[in-house]
Structures are given as structure tokens and as C-alpha cells.
Amino acid sequence: MNELKSNKWMQLPRDVLVGSDMLGKVADVCSDLQLGRNALIVTGQKTRGIAGIKVAEELEETGRIVQIHVSSSASMEEVENVMEIAREMDTDFLLGVGSGKSIDVAKLAATRHNVPFLSIPTAASHDGIVSSRASITHNGETTSIQASAPMAVIADTEVIAKAPFRLLAAGCGDIISNCTAVLDWQLAHRLQNVTFSEYAAALASMTANILIESADSIKPELESSVRIVVKALVSSGVAMSIAGSSRPASGSEHMFSHALNRIAPNPALHGEQCGIGTILMMYLHGGDWKEIRDALRIIGAPTTAHELGIEDKYILQALVESHKIRPERYTILGTGITPDAAEVVARTTGVIS
């Protein structure tokens, strides 16, 4: 343990609302946080109608000036576009309304424009809805960029429950991946003296274990299922804030997912790939990979390359190349594994047949 090794600035959401009809509470949250008058909403083409317009109407009813920007991609160019709009309208705060990309764009734009940011997810597919990291594409590569944590998270369980269940299942995969992320972090601490926080690691591990134990409670179109997943995503975000890095929730399994994004012609959802990555990396750690696989199966998340819709050869290539994704981040992958070892791992775990 070396909690006191360096000073940390922990950014945590001030308000977290989880429940039915929470979109109707947006204006109250803005008043509670004493935000300004000019609001810029960043949303997607579909999520504009699902929640974006509703949020705008709620804010306008309290006399605020609101502009909606429909974001087409989570790219650096799009971040710069949003920043330009924010400057032109003298924006006091930004709101990201969507399932992921819109939130990441709004988060980074708000950070760089130095204004508050509110996260309003329409799906619970990954922990980006809470974290202080933004996944942005630049020069053809998707990178995780440090940003400010949202000042508030407003999760309307009724809205999220109506999203495709595949997105919620992917969110579960992202949460369960904490299991191997923490093991990688502990390994890096022992072998390379990487700064380690027992508090952050314990919270991340507990969050993943609770979800694994609750796997049979995660069902389509149930608000109770959404509450479990959203609370877990919030906990993961808090763990990362305590750690001052993404270490509690991102390790070798995330590197595997990012490698797949580079290699596979049609990658699956981030959380789906992380879930399968967790099975593979838990095998390498010598842990109970079958428990991970079984929990994902119960939830309805993919556990094989076939279910991911990705050819076996890309799984094997990603395994061999995963260690190159973040070479400065030490994990169980070390300096890489051989093609033969990758095939043993993938076949033993049933990820490929």
C-alpha cells in the first residue's frame, strides 16, 4: 500500500440521481449547482428525440437559453466544433445526453472550455458516463483522454430500460472487467512499484463482485436491473477518481478490447469486448475465469468470438498485440504472449472453438 506516495485531486460528481422520471429533475439539479443561464446540449441523432429535446424543454421552462448540438462522432474535430459553439453562445455549462459518444465529446469540450458538465446517459453501456476520462478518436486512433468528472450524473432508469438490452449487458461487461484490472494493478505495484490505492482497488473489486453475484437479476426492460448497473458504473467512476487514474477499471482486458478495435473489421461494443477480455486475462492470472464466463452468460453478454461477431483469427491477433496498446501500463501481458500461447488461452476458455 502506498496511499500517501503522491497528492491527488479527487474529482467526484456532486449530485447523482438514479430513478424514474429523472429527466424532469434536470432544472432542479442545475439550480442546486448554481449553474448559469446559457446551456449547450450535446446529443446524438437518435438520443435527441429520446431525451435531448425533453432536457432542453425542462431548462427553457426555467428561463435558460438552450442550444442543442447533434454530434456525429466522438472525434477531436467534433470536440473542437462544440468548443467553438460554446464560445459563440458564451456557454455557462454543457450537458451530454446520450449513450456514450455525446457524453465523451461534451465532457472533453467542457473541460477544455473550463465550464461545468452534466452527464445524462440514455444507456448504461460503459463507465464513461461517470468517469473523468473521454474516449476520443484522433488521426484514426481512439485514445482515452483525461477530462473533468461530471458535476452531476442524471440517470433516468425509465429511459435507460427502453434502450436495447445489448447496451446494458455491455455495461455489465465493463464493470466485471474491474476483476482483472485490479489484479493487473496489484501486479504492477509488486513488480514495478506502481502507485496503488487499496481503497480504490477494494471499491472496484467489490463493485464487480456485487454485479457477478447479481447476474441473474439483470433482465431486459427492468428498471431494477438498470439501477444495479448504473450504481455499479458510478462506483467504478468513484474508484478511478480516488486512484487518480483508470487503473481500478482498466487493465489488460481493456488493452485487448482496444487491440480488437484496431484489428477487427467490425468490432463489437466496448463492454462486450472487455467482458471476453476479462475471461482471457483471468485465465492468464490463474483465477476463476469460469465464474466470469458464467456471469456474462447469465446476463446475456457474449462469451465467445462467434457471439461477438468477430473471427477467431482477430481474437488471436489481438491477444498477441494487446501489450503494445499502452506499453507504459504493466499488466499480466508483460512484454507479450506468443501466438501458440494465445491459441491455448482462447481455446481453453472456449472463446474460440
Side-chain angles (χ1 to χ4, degrees):
M1 175 178 177
N2 52 358
E3 299 277 359
L4 303 179
K5 191 167 184 178
S6 62
N7 296 324
K8 292 189 178 71
W9 189 316
M10 299 181 192
Q11 285 193 331
L12 303 171
R14 277 182 52 185
D15 290 353
V16 177
L17 282 69
V18 182
S20 297
D21 196 29
M22 284 299 154
L23 294 185
K25 302 291 185 182
V26 172
D28 291 340
V29 171
C30 293
S31 296
D32 177 62
L33 297 173
Q34 298 182 334
L35 301 180
R37 187 164 178 250
N38 296 337
L40 175 58
I41 295 172
V42 179
T43 189
Q45 189 65 50
K46 291 183 179 179
T47 52
R48 179 180 182 274
I50 293 170
I53 293 174
K54 168 72 172 173
V55 170
E57 290 173 347
E58 290 292 327
L59 293 173
E60 287 170 344
E61 285 181 7
T62 59
R64 287 183 170 86
I65 297 172
V66 184
Q67 182 167 334
I68 297 178
H69 173 73
V70 176
S71 180
S72 57
S73 64
S75 64
M76 190 57 71
E77 182 180 5
E78 191 63 23
V79 171
E80 291 169 356
N81 288 341
V82 171
M83 288 175 63
E84 181 61 29
I85 296 169
R87 282 191 292 267
E88 289 175 357
M89 68 175 292
D90 195 21
T91 297
D92 293 310
F93 63 100
L94 272 76
L95 305 94
V97 182
S99 60
K101 293 179 181 179
S102 301
I103 288 175
D104 282 337
V105 169
K107 184 191 303 180
L108 188 56
T111 301
R112 297 193 171 181
H113 192 54
N114 198 29
V115 295
F117 158 69
L118 274 63
S119 174
I120 306 178
T122 56
S125 55
H126 61 80
D127 56 24
I129 65 174
V130 184
S131 75
S132 57
R133 310 289 299 185
S135 293
I136 301 295
T137 302
H138 185 53
N139 294 330
E141 294 287 338
T142 299
T143 56
S144 178
I145 301 174
Q146 182 65 40
S148 297
M151 187 169 282
V153 179
I154 303 170
D156 191 315
T157 53
E158 185 177 358
V159 171
I160 296 173
K162 292 177 182 176
F165 181 70
R166 181 187 177 191
L167 297 176
L168 192 70
C172 293
D174 204 16
I175 295 160
I176 290 173
S177 75
N178 292 5
C179 293
T180 45
V182 170
L183 290 176
D184 283 327
W185 194 15
Q186 290 171 329
L187 185 65
H189 173 56
R190 289 195 298 270
L191 298 184
Q192 297 195 341
N193 200 32
V194 168
T195 301
F196 182 77
S197 166
E198 289 189 6
Y199 296 110
L203 178 57
S205 296
M206 178 190 70
T207 299
N209 289 332
I210 288 175
L211 190 67
I212 289 171
E213 292 168 4
S214 305
D216 58 358
S217 298
I218 309 300
K219 304 292 183 183
E221 300 180 3
L222 287 183
E223 288 190 53
S224 58
S225 298
V226 172
R227 287 191 188 92
I228 292 170
V229 177
V230 170
K231 288 178 181 178
L233 292 173
V234 170
S235 295
S236 285
V238 170
M240 285 187 273
S241 293
I242 293 172
S245 82
S246 61
R247 270 287 193 180
S250 177
S252 52
E253 74 298 318
H254 272 64
M255 292 158 67
F256 168 77
S257 177
H258 292 311
L260 273 180
N261 288 342
R262 289 183 178 183
I263 294 164
N266 296 297
L269 295 176
H270 170 77
E272 292 177 330
Q273 295 180 167
C274 287
I276 284 185
T278 306
I279 296 171
L280 297 166
M281 302 310 159
M282 188 60 82
Y283 174 88
L284 290 177
H285 274 288
D288 191 353
W289 60 268
K290 291 181 180 179
E291 180 185 45
I292 304 295
R293 179 201 62 191
D294 293 347
L296 291 170
R297 278 181 178 171
I298 291 169
I299 291 166
T303 59
T304 67
H306 177 72
E307 290 170 353
L308 270 186
I310 295 177
E311 291 182 51
D312 291 357
K313 65 179 180 180
Y314 297 123
I315 298 291
L316 296 175
Q317 187 179 348
L319 268 171
V320 171
E321 297 186 14
S322 293
H323 69 286
K324 300 176 183 177
I325 297 297
R326 295 190 69 174
E328 79 285 355
R329 175 162 288 193
Y330 191 84
T331 69
I332 191 66
L333 293 168
T335 55
I337 64 175
T338 66
D340 287 346
E343 185 163 357
V344 170
V345 174
R347 290 195 184 281
T348 302
T349 56
V351 171
I352 68 171
S353 55

